[in-house]
Amino acid sequence: MQINQLKYLGLFTATLLATLLFVSSTVNAQRIKSAPLSWGLKGGVNLATLYGDDVNDTEIATGFNGGLFFSYAFSPRLSLQPEMLFSMKGAELDNSVSGQETTTDYELGYLEVPVLFKYHLVTGNTLHPNILVGPAIGFKLYGNANDRDIDDEIQDAEFGLTFGGGLDAEVASSPTDFIQTVGLDLRYTLGLTDVFDIAGDPEAKNRVFTIALAVGF
């Protein structure tokens, strides 16, 4: 099952990358000077799992990731990008973190707020690679285990570190165009705090690989 998920994710990534290259090649190569503050929408796919001393034999859980982002450019190379995202996490475990010998499908939903520093590689054309890193805090929205409500067993908040990179393509021909950029975002979020708040305090943390398409206005 994991191999099929990764195969489809690779196909999805290649399709998005090809789309970005095509779009960027069809617009004027002259860089459009825009205001330092911008915003946009993004959406994509999470490949999530759990890790820790009390987690064994996990399988990837696929979920949605998307929401709103803002970007403030300090310079052509450096920007700050806070985001507000709905993020689905979890994993399928052969044994639950409470020690029961049964397959358990954990579905966890968070309102995630990353605050990312982005370093942009200025290329002289309309396609710009970037590197990103920053902290992220996730606020619990819901938790299920095999469709059983476990909200009371999940910590109210989690902290993590996000890092990755992507590509931004300028698609506007003037600063007044509604859509200014489209981008492909690849990132990894490593949870640093335990997910569960139950007896025995099991060590289990989220880790998520995300691929998303962003549209900047």
Side-chain angles (χ1 to χ4, degrees):
M1 180 177 180
Q2 293 188 47
I3 294 176
N4 287 334
Q5 289 175 332
L6 292 174
K7 181 173 67 175
Y8 290 135
L9 180 65
L11 179 61
F12 180 58
T13 304
T15 302
L16 287 181
L17 181 58
T19 301
L20 281 179
L21 291 171
F22 173 76
V23 170
S24 65
S25 67
T26 60
V27 300
N28 192 329
Q30 181 180 1
R31 184 174 179 84
I32 302 300
K33 182 175 177 59
S34 59
L37 181 63
S38 60
W39 67 282
L41 300 172
K42 65 189 312 180
V45 179
N46 276 351
L47 293 181
T49 188
L50 296 168
Y51 77 98
D53 291 344
D54 297 294
V55 178
N56 297 291
D57 300 324
T58 66
E59 290 192 14
I60 293 172
T62 304
F64 174 74
N65 181 294
L68 180 70
F69 69 89
F70 295 90
S71 179
Y72 184 85
F74 297 103
S75 72
R77 294 185 181 275
L78 183 64
S79 65
L80 180 67
Q81 183 168 298
E83 303 176 346
M84 186 175 294
L85 309 172
F86 171 65
S87 184
M88 297 174 64
K89 304 181 182 182
E92 184 178 310
L93 276 63
D94 287 346
N95 295 295
S96 71
V97 295
S98 60
Q100 296 176 333
E101 294 185 2
T102 180
T103 298
T104 306
D105 185 10
Y106 288 100
E107 299 178 2
L108 312 173
Y110 291 88
L111 174 63
E112 191 164 73
V113 184
V115 180
L116 304 173
F117 289 93
K118 294 181 70 174
Y119 181 78
H120 306 265
L121 303 176
V122 179
T123 60
N125 56 42
T126 59
L127 193 61
H128 305 285
N130 64 74
I131 301 170
L132 60 88
V133 64
I137 180 171
F139 300 97
K140 175 192 68 178
L141 297 177
Y142 65 84
N144 295 312
N146 292 343
D147 296 324
R148 178 178 64 87
D149 188 338
I150 57 168
D151 282 7
D152 294 338
E153 301 175 8
I154 306 297
Q155 298 279 7
D156 290 334
E158 67 162 8
F159 295 90
L161 178 65
T162 297
F163 51 93
L167 291 170
D168 293 318
E170 298 176 7
V171 298
S173 58
S174 77
T176 59
D177 288 350
F178 182 58
I179 297 179
Q180 292 289 313
T181 62
V182 295
L184 177 65
D185 190 41
L186 303 172
R187 65 177 62 176
Y188 182 77
T189 301
L190 181 68
L192 302 177
T193 56
D194 287 336
V195 171
F196 297 97
D197 183 17
I198 57 179
D201 192 24
E203 182 183 336
K205 304 169 185 176
N206 285 307
R207 56 183 177 186
V208 184
F209 175 76
T210 303
I211 175 173
L213 181 66
V215 179
F217 306 111

